[in-house]
Amino acid sequence: RDQIKSILRDTMKKPNSKLCVLVEPKEFSTNSIIDFCDETFGGREKWSKDSIVLMTKFDKQLEDSRSGSKANNFFAEYHENDLY
């Protein structure tokens, strides 16, 4: 893991680098990928603005994927932390 962290930090120092963060559809507070990025870069403010966050299998998170209010509630914490 330390080697991965080092590679990520070195790459993100290069001009015009963007971090593509692929997360699973988990609540923000329990998402280990977000925690890993926070730990790697020394805080969310140091990596989130140069990142694109993608979520896989979101439709499996909701019983009815057509429910806009459930989706809005789920994404609220991600949005509040500038991860979208």
Side-chain angles (χ1 to χ4, degrees):
R1 286 182 75 108
D2 288 336
Q3 187 176 8
I4 293 170
K5 289 178 183 182
S6 178
I7 291 168
L8 286 171
R9 282 190 290 261
D10 290 344
T11 301
M12 289 304 291
K13 289 178 185 174
K14 296 176 183 175
N16 300 318
S17 292
K18 293 284 184 188
L19 180 66
C20 180
V21 181
L22 182 62
V23 297
E24 293 182 6
K26 294 182 179 179
E27 294 293 329
F28 180 83
S29 61
T30 62
N31 202 310
S32 62
I33 298 297
I34 301 296
D35 294 338
F36 177 79
C37 290
D38 287 347
E39 181 183 320
T40 299
F41 297 106
R44 193 161 304 127
E45 66 283 349
K46 295 184 180 179
W47 66 269
S48 62
K49 292 181 181 163
D50 293 321
S51 301
I52 298 168
V53 179
L54 305 171
M55 185 173 290
T56 63
K57 303 175 187 174
F58 175 71
D59 58 323
K60 294 183 179 184
Q61 177 68 21
L62 303 172
E63 294 99 33
D64 180 2
S65 62
R66 296 170 289 180
S67 173
S69 63
K70 286 182 182 178
N72 289 341
N73 290 337
F74 181 82
F75 285 116
E77 199 169 6
Y78 283 89
H79 193 328
E80 289 167 3
N81 284 278
D82 295 327
L83 296 176
Y84 43 86

